[in-house]
Amino acid sequence: MAAIAEVVGTEPRRHSQSYLMGWLTTADHKRIGIMYLLAATFFFAVGGLEALMIRIQLSSPGNTFVTPALYDQLFTMHGTTMIFLAVMPLFIGFINCIVPLQIGARDVAFPRLNALSLWLFVLGGILLNSSWFLGGAPNAGWFNYAPISLTPFNPGPGIDFYDIGLQLAGIGTLMTGVNFIATIINMRAPGMSLMRMPLFTWTTFITSVLILFAFPPFTVNLFLLMFDRLMGANFFNIAKGGNVLLWQHLFWIFGHPEVYILILPAFGIISEVIATFSRKTLFGYDSMVLATIAIGFLAFTVWVHHMFVDGFGPYVNSLFAITTMAIAVPTGVKIFNWIFTMWGGKIKFTTAMLFATGFIPLFVIGGISGVMLAMAPADFQYNDSYFVVAHLHYVLIGGSLMGVLAGAYYWFPKITGRLLNETLGKWHFWLLMIGFNVTFFPMHFLGLLGMPRRVATYSAAMGQAVAFWNLVATIGAFILAISFLFFFYNLFKTLRSGEQAGPDPWDARALEWAISSPAPVYNFAKTPLVRGRDAWWVEKTEGDGHLRSAEPEADPHEEHAHHGIHMPTGSIYPFLIALGLMIAGYGAIFGLLLLVAIGLVLAFFSIHRMIVDEDPGEIVQPVGGDGE
Amino acid sequence: MRPVKRFVSRLKWPAVLGILTVALSGCGNYFSSRASVLAPAGPVASRELSLIQISLYIMLVIFVVVMGLWGFALIRYRARRNDTSAVSASTGDTRLEILWTVVPLLIVIYLTVLTVQTEFYLTRRPNPTTSLQVSVTGHQFFWQFDYPGLGISTIHNLYIPVGEKVNLTLTSADVIHSFWVPELAGKTDAIPGYHTYMWLEASRAGSYFGECAQFCGVGHYNMHMTVIALPPAQFQTWVKSMQKKGAASGTAWALERGPLPVSS
Ligand code: HEM
Ligand SMILES: [Cu+2]
Ligand SMILES: [Cu+2]
């Protein structure tokens, strides 16, 4: 972190504060964003190592690299980590770093709540992963179906770590959703009407709404499971009148919107990157916005497509097949709009643009297999086979992660002030494209050849083809892993000696590029006046290349009195609240009531202090003129 | 990207073509297995496969069209040196946008019709008085088959007559399992506290490999079964012999514990 802090030395530190306290107490959305990105990158690496172990185990039939018991923990932790602790927080990191800048705001609506979100995610993630050392990791898959997750079938503490860890992280995510809804509705600079917002801000807004409605059912589910496991309740216990499908419904009512939470921000990033490097405004902006809203709405109407084999009968299955296929239409609209944004442009193939254009074929393949899966009777064959594994990786890596990486190469200069190395970036891109397709395309075949997912091994009697494609997939996984070595080396190298970016290295279009890189603590020295879509581009082409200020001209006689900018101060309490809840979580998992009490007291004390302590704020003097 | 270009230009293309030819001529081996969705042996799996095929072909056409537009845009509109022409000022085109909303919508409607037809065909339960009834129970980690009308129970092996619809009622004794015999029919989950239904039929005699598809614990990977389809006369012989065994052992239920299908 030291290297980054050096570059991003933006926050004015109070003299009494140590370096560490500066980060622990910060309420600056940019620093919070950076910590999201760092923690999520760490978890991404952990999840990646788990994936490599899975692929080594499956490289040949009957392999004994890991035991079945360990294998079950590996695939569970891989999926859970990648979805909850890697990809989603990577997006939240970018959202934090960029969205307030795109709408010309000083910070988010609730800066301290934002810090609380961060710490709940970080500490929840650590709690979940500490299960490896404290009695075994969860082992019932990322969707953790009842009743295999219940004590009779799963007596160890692993599932409790899943339950409590995701409750902590989930509450954090929910608050992020609330925060960004409030931020985007209330804190836009004058002139930034809804239909002038950059697409990344739009998709963040819809994503936040999805979070707001999708996470509560999941939280309820986790609570019911916690009651069953830790307090002897019987929500899922059929012997006592409970119902195991309750979990599945609540899970997928959350789970399908969740996959759109994981893709909508990528849609936003791809829209920004493609428009910038085609040097054109986004094609069909209105229909892009409309499609995003339609997808967000439909996302709540399709959950039973994960349960086609539960035997609900032809009426239910047909209905959900129809709603699911309907989603393909607005998704297709987006694809065509991206292609026609490039049409007639002058495309510059920077690494960010390579990832954004590479996204299109991969995501189209994932969308195609999605429509095939939506045909319920065909899904009777695909379901729970490697075909689904292929689909979800084409949309999650080929879609979501490609979006993250396009965003990483695009915004790294804005976040750190330095440009990632393009040569290393291109190695990363090409190796990733090869490794990814070699790994996951054959999985379509494996599913059709009868290989179920989540098997710790398979028999040679399945046939030579099954062994062959599994070996191919393992080779691909190593190529994919190598591509990320290029990325990590690039990050490391750039932070130490990367080229200085300057405010607007890509000649880009949205407001974040109007201010210095990295952005000053206060973002904009004066709140900007937005005069059109592509707000910064408008100033560069139709204005004088400077942002207009929306604030009244300062009276020259009072120059000093009014030039300061009022900024929120940091606070240690968000961290302490999260820490208290984490301690209580450990207490609950191990049945130590005293620990639960200590943790809750700490949490409630800190919540109380955070409420009653008035935030005096801090007056910051803007430097230079680049914020205008 | 110099190194990559150099690498590509140095590749021995005849050798690459050779490897490709070998791989393609061995095509059958790379797309067949012991339990392949692509080799159906009964009407249920056949209907499912034809749905898979139709949707795949339509999707391939869509893929080619989209990739054609994409590739054309990438190549034609890449930035060139000394090109001073202005970029297109287009911000949208309503007619185009209607086109690429309506055409996919029509395709989706067509797929929906196929889906609903097949769905209703596959879930129409055969007449219980004329078809064989079997209760399937999933256990950690084996399958149990009860023939309530015949007084027979088996484990691991499901015996069925060729050419007849078999009516399966599934449930579970512990956690959720999923019954999957790719060559005969897609999955149905066996859920504790529920009874789910499916039917299947084998058009040819033979034994078909089946597995549990829903993760159910440490033994999940090994929860296999075999569906043994016998010509009707032979099936009757098997039934008689099982019932005789049951009578001899003094219980009405005969248990055949088949060998566990091959594991690693
Ligand atoms: C055209 C759009 C899409 C359609 C029609 C679609 C359809 C489906 C269907 C029907 C399934 C259930 C398959 C089964 O379990 O048998 C599925 C699974 C899945 N989809 Fe999609 N999908 C689409 C896009 C996406 C996107 C954008 C994402 C995420 C970025 C995504 C992530 C997943 C995941 C993670 C699963 C597997 C969940 C699990 O069983 O673990 N899908 N999809
Ligand atoms: Cu879904
Ligand atoms: Cu099972």
Side-chain angles (χ1 to χ4, degrees), chain A residues 38 72 180 339 360 373 540 546 549 582 620:
Chain A
L38 283 174
D72 298 346
F180 277 90
I339 293 176
I360 293 177
L373 288 164
K540 286 194 286 190
H546 293 283
S549 164
M582 183 201 204
V620 182

Side-chain angles (χ1 to χ4, degrees), chain A residues 8 11 132 147 155 318 329 391 434 445 466 482 578:
Chain A
V8 195
E11 188 169 22
W132 284 114
S318 299
V329 176
H391 161 71
I434 295 167
F445 308 149
V466 171
I482 290 169

Side-chain angles (χ1 to χ4, degrees), chain A residues 142-143 252 256 259-260 262-263 305-306 324 327-328 331 363 367 370-371 373-374 379 383-384 388 391-392 395-396 400 453-454:
Chain A
W142 83 277
F143 53 54
W252 290 118
H256 189 84
V259 306
Y260 280 91
L262 294 169
I263 198 68
H305 70 215
H306 297 274
T324 303
I327 289 200
T331 312
F363 187 74
V371 172
L373 288 164
D379 185 59
N383 176 267
D384 274 329
V388 174
H391 161 71
L392 72 91
V395 282
L396 282 175
S400 309
R453 67 196 284 202
R454 300 177 168 167

Side-chain angles (χ1 to χ4, degrees), chain A residues 287 346-347 381 383 449-450, chain B residues 33 37 77 79 85 97 187 211:
Chain A
S287 66
K346 284 189 179 172
I347 304 170
Q381 290 284 19
N383 176 267
L449 293 175
Chain B
S33 80
V37 171
Y77 298 112
S85 64
E97 291 179 53
K187 299 162 204 75
E211 12 190 19

Side-chain angles (χ1 to χ4, degrees), chain B residues 12 30 33 41 67 76 83 93 110-111 116 118 125 136 178 214 225 246:
Chain B
K12 305 231 169 1
Y30 290 93
S33 80
M67 285 302 103
R76 170 69 186 73
D83 174 6
D93 182 327
Y110 176 63
L111 293 177
V116 173
T118 315
R125 293 174 67 197
V136 180
S178 192
Q214 182 63 269
M225 71 187 122

